[in-house]
Amino acid sequence: MTDRAQATRERLLVAAERLYAEHGVPAVSNRQISEAAGQGNNTAVGYHFGTRTELVRAIVRKHTGPIERLRGRRLDEGGHVGLRDWLGCLVHPTTEHLAELGAPTWFARFAAQVMTEPSLRTVAIEETLTSPSLARTLAGLYRCLPGLPAEVRAERNDITRLVLMHAMAERERALADGVGTPRAGWRGTATALTDVLAGLWLAPVTK
């Protein structure tokens, strides 16, 4: 791929991520993405990515790579023995990535939009929930709660994903709108989320 083509592709990715985050995936056309990216050719999205599904996949991969590296680095540091340690490996890589991007960001809101869109949900799951570092993190987390029934574990796993996704999206939206947030930075947000998730996973199970 030429430098010019790569630059065009990157502009399309940035424009699509922002528009999808702000308006939802179904509401945004390829024409709008091309215009937002400064492309006079309205077929640019199709030329570079083919389908909307592949465009969404490319946006997800753009972020999951850095998040995977951050989580892998944290895991390689070792010292993870307790529940909060493993929850930290779950939470901090994404918040660190968002902090590194600077302001404004759109990925948290984009991810929330995609996960609520039935036709694209599978793409997000394939690209984010099957990463090797995430599998290692969840295995460590489960080892801390050996007595938790499998069905409860699966349920709390789903709730954890929802809490993380929507809490990060809400903070990102507040920052974009210039609204005050309870925590000054993403690191503080990660700490608060770890507290919440520790309570969730340690909650008693009603039989």
Side-chain angles (χ1 to χ4, degrees), residues 129-157:
L129 303 185
T130 58
S131 79
S133 69
L134 183 58
R136 288 173 59 192
T137 298
L138 292 176
L141 174 65
Y142 298 156
R143 285 196 299 271
C144 295
L145 300 164
L148 202 63
E151 65 275 13
V152 175
R153 187 175 69 185
E155 184 177 54
R156 294 186 182 185
N157 202 3

Side-chain angles (χ1 to χ4, degrees), residues 6-64:
Q6 183 62 45
T8 299
R9 179 184 170 88
E10 181 62 23
R11 285 195 294 271
L12 290 167
L13 284 174
V14 171
E17 182 181 332
R18 175 176 62 81
L19 291 172
Y20 288 159
E22 294 178 342
H23 305 290
V25 179
V28 179
S29 67
N30 286 353
R31 177 188 294 272
Q32 290 172 307
I33 294 170
S34 294
E35 290 176 352
Q39 300 300 305
N41 184 354
N42 291 323
T43 63
V45 173
Y47 174 79
H48 285 276
F49 299 100
T51 65
R52 172 179 287 179
T53 298
E54 292 309 308
L55 172 58
V56 167
R57 189 185 304 277
I59 296 170
V60 174
R61 285 181 176 176
K62 176 183 174 181
H63 294 280
T64 53

Side-chain angles (χ1 to χ4, degrees), residues 82-84 86-88 90-91 134 137-164 193-205:
L83 178 69
R84 288 183 62 88
W86 292 110
L87 288 172
L90 190 65
V91 176
L134 183 58
T137 298
L138 292 176
L141 174 65
Y142 298 156
R143 285 196 299 271
C144 295
L145 300 164
L148 202 63
E151 65 275 13
V152 175
R153 187 175 69 185
E155 184 177 54
R156 294 186 182 185
N157 202 3
D158 289 340
I159 297 171
T160 294
R161 186 186 69 250
L162 292 171
V163 168
L164 288 176
L193 284 170
T194 302
D195 291 341
V196 169
L197 295 179
L200 188 158
W201 282 94
L202 293 172
V205 179

